[in-house]
């Protein structure tokens, strides 16, 4: 039995996503199940991808126009010819259509919806909207949909995906890679991830920082080219700093007093769970996709798209001495280990594979 993991993923760092897939691969191997991968072509030179290639077969897929490009379909036909694929599991939407329509009839098809589907759809042009509706209403009839967000699942059904084939499937996090963060009592340095400026709310944080006294704090924004360009043009230089991604997220958590998670749309955020597990307080937008975090302590919800609320919360955190109760941190960690650990995630996913 072989599982094909298809991932529209080419990030410079493996992060929690690859860590979880790796743990899943090893768990399946212990049951005699082989895993092979197909990644976006930008992943080929990444260290984490080279490590995977040492263990198993890896294929690379085009990114531009991938849903309609003949080359994408040719590569999938090659994979299905060379590998005895029993289950194809696609992540991040891009390859759902070609992976499904080329799959042999007896191959089980699973789509894993991580993305902010409704927001992405709202920004699409007419052709891409039509293609997305075709994806969910027509091609999706053959697939089972695992959605990390109930809101995204609801929108997939609105697009035409069969409701009875949808499963709410929260992300898991690889807790072993997250260290408990020592309490920050003096330093006023805050952390946010700004991979996508608009979706993650980088512009909101910049607007909030403009209302703070100069040099009152430091906000480190981790991102890539889009974020770098935006901050170069709009950033508040004495407060907001751009930083490149790092291999070890613990180095970021350990130098931060709190985590800013003020996004306009999310899936179920790995970063949010990791920050909570590390022991950081979180300033969190009150969008529906983040509401699962209401069970945690030290998560401060603010109205979505409200830069003034971000400013007020930052002012409060600047005055705070940085001390959290050990009880609250451990209570949060227990919830994550019981509900969102990679071990729980693997157990649920394996059950779906073997249904």
């Amino acid at each position: 039995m072989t599982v094909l993991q298809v991932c529209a993923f080419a990030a410079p760092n493996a992060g929690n996503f690859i860590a979880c897939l790796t743990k899943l691969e090893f768990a399946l191997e212990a049951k005699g199940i082989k895993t092979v991968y197909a990644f976006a072509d930008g992943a080929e030179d990444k260290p984490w991808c080279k490590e995977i290639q040492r263990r198993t077969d890896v294929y690379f897929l085009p990114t531009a126009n991938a849903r309609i490009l003949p080359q994408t379909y040719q590569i999938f036909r090659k994979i299905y010819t060379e590998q005895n694929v029993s289950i194809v599991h696609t992540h991040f939407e891009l390859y759902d259509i070609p992976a499904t329509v080329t799959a042999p009839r007896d191959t089980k098809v699973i789509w894993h919806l991580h993305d902010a589907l409704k927001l992405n759809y709202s920004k699409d042009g007419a052709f891409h909207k039509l293609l997305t509706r075709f994806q969910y209403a027509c091609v999706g009839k053959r697939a089972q949909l695992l959605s990390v967000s109930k809101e995204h699942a609801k929108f997939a059904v609105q697009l035409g995906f069969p409701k009875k084939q949808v499963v709410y499937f929260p992300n898991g996090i690889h807790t072993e890679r997250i260290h408990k963060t020592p309490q920050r009592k003096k330093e006023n340095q805050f952390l946010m991830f700004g991979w996508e400026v608009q979706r993650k709310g980088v512009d909101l944080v910049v607007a909030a920082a403009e209302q703070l006294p100069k040099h009152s704090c430091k906000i480190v924004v981790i991102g890539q080219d889009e974020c770098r360009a935006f901050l170069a043009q709009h950033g508040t230089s004495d407060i907001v700093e751009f930083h490149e991604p790092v291999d070890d997220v613990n180095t970021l958590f350990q130098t931060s007093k709190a985590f800013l998670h003020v996004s306009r749309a999310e899936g179920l955020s790995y970063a949010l769970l990791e920050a909570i597990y590390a022991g950081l307080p979180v300033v969190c937008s009150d969008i529906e996709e983040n509401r699962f975090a209401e069970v945690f302590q030290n998560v401060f919800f603010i109205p979505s798209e409200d830069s003034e609320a971000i400013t007020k919360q930052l002012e409060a955190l600047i005055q705070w001495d940085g001390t959290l109760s050990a009880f609250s941190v451990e209570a949060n960690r227990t919830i994550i280990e019981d509900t969102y650990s990679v071990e729980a995630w693997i157990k649920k996913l394996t059950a779906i594979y073997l249904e």
Side-chain angles (χ1 to χ4, degrees):
M1 182 176 180
T2 298
V3 175
L4 170 63
Q5 298 288 354
V6 179
C7 313
F9 184 85
N13 303 104
N16 189 79
F17 177 65
I18 297 299
C20 287
L21 285 186
T22 299
K23 291 274 283 188
L24 173 64
E25 176 192 331
F26 294 157
L28 293 176
E29 185 180 23
K31 295 179 180 292
I33 301 170
K34 179 184 177 182
T35 300
V36 297
Y37 297 88
F39 290 110
D41 50 17
E44 192 165 3
D45 63 342
K46 303 299 188 293
W48 57 263
C49 188
K50 291 180 180 179
E51 180 63 32
I52 293 174
Q53 288 178 273
R54 296 187 187 101
R55 303 192 305 264
T56 189
D57 297 322
V58 178
Y59 299 83
F60 297 99
L61 301 163
T63 304
N65 301 312
R67 289 192 287 184
I68 60 173
L69 193 70
Q71 183 188 358
T72 314
Y73 293 79
Q74 292 167 4
I75 294 170
F76 274 110
R77 290 190 184 96
K78 172 182 169 67
I79 296 171
Y80 291 129
T81 299
E82 294 181 353
Q83 307 287 343
N84 184 25
V85 176
S86 301
I87 299 166
V88 55
H89 185 164
T90 65
H91 302 264
F92 304 112
E93 289 194 280
L94 182 62
Y95 302 116
D96 290 355
I97 294 176
T100 303
V101 301
T102 58
R105 185 171 297 180
D106 58 350
T107 299
K108 183 172 186 172
V109 179
I110 298 171
W111 294 358
H112 207 136
L113 180 58
H114 302 263
D115 299 324
L117 178 61
K118 188 173 184 178
L119 177 66
N120 292 346
Y121 183 83
S122 70
K123 296 188 292 186
D124 281 341
F127 174 73
H128 283 98
K129 277 187 167 73
L130 183 64
L131 192 58
T132 299
R133 284 191 172 276
F134 172 72
Q135 177 171 326
Y136 283 92
C138 299
V139 182
K141 290 179 180 178
R142 184 180 169 183
Q144 182 174 23
L145 183 72
L146 309 184
S147 178
V148 303
S149 161
K150 291 180 181 178
E151 283 298 300
H152 301 343
K154 189 185 302 182
F155 190 67
V157 172
Q158 289 177 20
L159 291 173
F161 196 90
K163 187 175 182 180
K164 65 182 181 180
Q165 292 164 217
V166 176
V167 176
Y168 171 54
F169 199 82
N171 284 332
I173 71 165
H174 191 352
T175 55
E176 293 173 11
R177 62 191 285 272
I178 306 300
H179 306 157
K180 186 182 293 187
T181 300
Q183 301 302 313
R184 313 299 298 176
K185 295 188 178 181
K186 295 181 181 178
E187 299 87 340
N188 282 314
Q189 180 164 302
F190 304 101
L191 172 67
M192 80 172 294
F193 293 147
W195 313 115
E196 298 172 57
V197 169
Q198 202 269 344
R199 185 170 71 85
K200 289 296 187 181
V202 177
D203 56 321
L204 300 172
V205 169
V206 168
E210 289 174 350
Q211 305 307 312
L212 295 171
K214 288 188 176 182
H215 309 293
S216 58
C217 67
K218 185 71 68 181
I219 302 172
V220 174
V221 183
I222 307 299
Q224 294 178 276
D225 292 345
E226 178 191 354
C227 182
R228 186 205 312 272
F230 178 85
L231 291 180
Q233 184 175 0
H234 302 285
T236 307
S237 58
D238 63 309
I239 290 182
V240 181
E241 274 188 11
F242 171 83
H243 280 227
E244 295 276 357
V246 298
D247 290 330
D248 184 1
V249 72
N250 293 292
T251 62
L252 301 174
F253 290 153
Q254 288 166 0
T255 56
S256 302
K257 194 174 186 181
F259 184 69
L260 307 184
H261 188 72
V262 296
S263 41
R264 291 177 168 92
E266 280 292 342
L268 189 151
S269 172
Y270 292 133
L272 175 55
L273 286 171
E274 289 177 339
I276 295 169
Y277 194 84
L280 287 175
V282 178
V283 180
C284 190
S285 58
D286 65 352
I287 58 174
E288 189 62 34
E289 302 96 303
N290 289 338
R291 282 294 180 183
F292 76 93
E294 289 177 333
V295 299
F296 298 110
Q297 300 181 56
N298 313 319
V299 176
F300 306 107
F301 282 95
I302 60 169
S304 177
E305 301 193 68
D306 190 338
S307 61
E308 290 185 12
I310 299 172
T311 300
K312 289 178 181 178
Q313 193 61 66
L314 285 171
E315 288 172 338
L317 288 167
I318 288 168
Q319 297 302 316
W320 172 57
D321 71 357
T323 303
L324 295 174
S325 76
F327 175 82
S328 68
V329 173
E330 288 304 321
N332 286 346
R333 290 165 71 91
T334 298
I335 293 170
I336 289 173
E337 287 164 356
D338 289 346
T339 309
Y340 300 105
S341 70
V342 67
E343 289 78 16
W345 182 82
I346 287 171
K347 184 177 180 180
K348 289 184 287 186
L349 187 53
T350 303
I352 289 171
Y353 282 176
L354 299 178
E355 281 176 348

